[in-house]
């Protein structure tokens, strides 16, 4: 691992929407970064735009090992195991992070290979319904939440053990990378992440697909009448089916819980509509309140004319490794807050 | 009623998001138009911008009667009865259309007052989560579907009776108004409209509220991680609760049917996720297919670089009153097509 006064280069494995956009942002921020993609056409497009990219995984990983790079695993869930095997074999001393949308199975794969002391998980809450290098673009992560996991430190603390400096440095470098991508680093433990994204990311995908089908069942007239509310609510059903399935299926336990709440609310709504005088007050009032709160928290409202967008997330300025820092991470996590490091 | 070579002025009752935007578009198109709003501040804002507006309903309706104007009922569902009573009393010879989002209760209110020979229903499939004159803007209806109902003609035809010229002229004028607002006129019978919008408009509102609540139940961490997919899918929960309730509750029968399909699909998804190997293939594949079809049908895809946006709806050029024209309307309705008149 590199000494602390040298910038650790970043090697991104997978140059799709997320990995490709990260490469663009890091290079724009002046951070040394290069990538691998299995897509030869994606590699060629990246190289043509002046980026350092290869479609040779061995080459990328031996360079990463030589550079003491931070490796970012930016492949779909189904390719995580093979990628970690390759990293363990060919880049045995590199720090590892990832951008996969479910954290429990990734952390299990990390632990199965004994890599946890070299791993800090990540997940940027940003994306579009498109995929591949061609969909990548600078600024995708601007002001987005980017989860950074700290289970390893929390587990050691709980066991009364010291968190190694090497891991603390890795954590700091991952946070720096996130801030270089102009995102906000949100400390979160793996299980809490998966429970939260089941509600705010995977459930929206299930509902988008369901609504698409029910709308489609209405035939050409219904489709012709579908406007903004329907199109916005079904947009993410346009995401590649394999990507949607991978995130929902690998987070099934948490997603089932969120689905049960959803089905219960819809049954109550159905009952309210079946009364002699249909009355949706309860659902609509509580939904509207929740939506208004979310809008207020996520900063400037659409109608605002102010050009200044400031983050609405509470911020903790943190010295990784300092006294009580893991407890501070947990407190920030409870608030959905972001961290900055010094 | 005015003779056919004179442009019939348009009197809009209600200058909220829809009525206000229509007034802007009609005036921009050079069509004589004026409006009433119960909101004195809305009236003042409209007048300040150079529009003819009053907050005196009697005055608006007597002017409409004098002008032989076409009256557009652009009030919330709950104010329809009182508005129709006022029209029946003070503008007894004017043609009537409306922009209310559910058509069965409006048509029942029309029939209860014996106004059906003077009525052609309408519903523009456009809007935002905001309301009031301040939210109105030119171009809101550009390329939007605007339903135009023809039950009266269909009922007469079925009974072997002639459709009066007076109604045919009214139908033509409503279509002309829609085209002046740059929208697309979609002929639809009342019951078919309500069944379709239950799927593509009212169900999305129920799901947006439900998702807002389930996301909110995840606490501050989940809310902090909520990104594009969640925000887009919950946007319309931000609509005024009373407006949401009015449209869902007044279309409860059709909405319950759409809800039952939804709950069934979600229960199937839950079962698929509970298997030893979770598998969402069926829902995701069918949802993705439906969404892709919708996107293809609604014209240029987001990625398209073509600046030319052409309507993807089949078009029927129609002569209202011509032989077989009501049958042609029904055929166009089955295709979700639009009409132009000559």
């Amino acid at each position: 691992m590199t000494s602390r006064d040298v910038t650790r280069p970043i090697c991104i494995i997978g140059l799709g929407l997320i990995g490709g956009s990260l490469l663009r942002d890091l290079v724009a921020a002046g951070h040394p970064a290069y990538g691998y993609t299995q897509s030869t056409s994606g590699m060629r497009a990246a190289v043509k735009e002046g980026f350092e990219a290869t479609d040779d995984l061995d080459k990328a990983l031996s360079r990463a090992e030589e550079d003491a790079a931070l490796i970012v695993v930016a492949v779909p869930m189904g390719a995580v195991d093979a990628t970690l095997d390759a990293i363990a074999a060919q880049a045995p001393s590199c720090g590892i992070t990832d951008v996969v949308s479910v954290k429990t199975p990734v952390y299990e794969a990390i632990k199965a290979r004994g890599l946890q002391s070299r791993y800090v998980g990540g997940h940027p809450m940003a994306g579009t319904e498109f995929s591949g290098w061609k969909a990548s673009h600078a600024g995708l992560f601007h002001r987005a939440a980017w989860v950074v996991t700290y289970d390893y430190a929390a587990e050691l603390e709980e066991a009364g053990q010291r968190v190694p400096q090497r891991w603390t440095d890795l954590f700091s470098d991952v946070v720096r990378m996130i801030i270089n991508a102009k995102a906000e680093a949100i400390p979160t433990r793996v299980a809490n992440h998966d429970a939260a994204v089941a509600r705010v990311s995977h459930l929206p995908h299930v509902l988008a697909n369901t609504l698409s089908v029910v709308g489609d069942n209405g035939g050409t007239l219904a489709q012709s009448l579908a406007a903004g509310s329907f199109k916005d609510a079904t947009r993410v059903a346009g995401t590649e089916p394999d990507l949607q399935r991978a995130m929902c299926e690998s987070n099934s336990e948490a997603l089932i819980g969120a689905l049960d709440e959803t089905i219960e609310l819809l049954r109550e709504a159905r009952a309210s509509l079946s009364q002699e005088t249909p009355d949706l007050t309860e659902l609509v009032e509580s939904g509207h309140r929740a939506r208004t709160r979310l809008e207020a928290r996520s900063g400037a409202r659409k109608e605002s004319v102010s050009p200044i967008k400031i983050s609405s997330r509470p911020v903790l300025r943190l010295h990784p490794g300092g006294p009580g820092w893991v407890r501070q991470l947990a407190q920030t996590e409870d608030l959905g807050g972001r961290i900055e490091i010094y």
Side-chain angles (χ1 to χ4, degrees), chain A residues 329-340:
Chain A
L329 289 177
Q331 288 163 347
T332 308
E333 176 179 8
D334 287 342
L335 299 169
R338 66 195 167 96
I339 53 173
E340 289 179 354

Side-chain angles (χ1 to χ4, degrees), chain A residues 194-217:
Chain A
D194 288 355
V197 297
R199 293 177 186 272
V200 299
S201 171
H202 305 157
L203 177 61
H205 278 85
V206 169
L207 292 179
N209 284 292
T210 302
L211 181 57
S212 291
V213 171
V214 176
D216 201 56
N217 288 348

Side-chain angles (χ1 to χ4, degrees), chain A residues 71-86:
Chain A
I71 295 177
V72 181
V73 178
V75 300
M77 187 67 229
V80 165
D81 279 319
T83 303
L84 291 181
D85 285 340

Side-chain angles (χ1 to χ4, degrees), chain A residues 56-95:
Chain A
D56 182 334
L57 181 59
D58 293 354
K59 214 166 118 182
L61 291 177
S62 15
R63 179 173 170 190
E65 179 67 14
E66 210 168 286
D67 286 356
L70 165 61
I71 295 177
V72 181
V73 178
V75 300
M77 187 67 229
V80 165
D81 279 319
T83 303
L84 291 181
D85 285 340
I87 292 170
Q90 292 168 67
S93 63
C94 289

Side-chain angles (χ1 to χ4, degrees), chain A residues 240-278:
Chain A
E240 275 300 322
D242 288 350
L243 294 177
Q244 297 191 62
R245 285 184 49 205
M247 58 189 184
C248 294
E249 292 167 3
S250 62
N251 196 22
S252 57
E253 202 181 309
L255 181 51
I256 286 171
L259 258 177
D260 283 342
E261 284 180 35
T262 304
I263 292 169
E264 184 55 28
L265 285 168
L266 292 177
R267 290 170 60 132
E268 284 169 17
R270 191 205 188 281
S272 312
L273 286 168
S274 308
Q275 295 172 132
E276 199 174 319
T277 306

Side-chain angles (χ1 to χ4, degrees), chain A residues 108-191:
Chain A
E108 278 166 5
I110 287 283
K111 288 205 257 193
R113 288 164 183 81
L115 298 171
Q116 55 270 45
S117 68
R118 291 167 50 195
Y119 171 77
V120 170
H123 180 209
M125 303 305 298
T128 70
E129 64 275 38
F130 305 115
S131 51
W133 170 265
K134 65 186 183 305
S136 72
H137 54 276
L140 177 64
F141 310 112
H142 186 59
R143 288 214 313 155
W146 189 314
V147 163
V148 55
T149 67
Y150 64 98
D151 297 63
Y152 181 65
E155 287 157 14
L156 287 178
E157 284 247 323
E158 199 165 335
Q161 291 170 38
R162 222 186 120 270
V163 181
Q165 186 62 37
R166 186 184 142 98
W167 190 89
T168 308
D169 289 345
L170 174 64
F171 183 86
S172 298
D173 283 350
V174 172
V175 171
R176 283 189 191 99
M177 177 190 83
I178 291 169
I179 289 171
N180 267 334
K182 306 230 185 318
E184 302 189 353
I186 316 290
T188 316
R189 273 158 295 186
V190 161

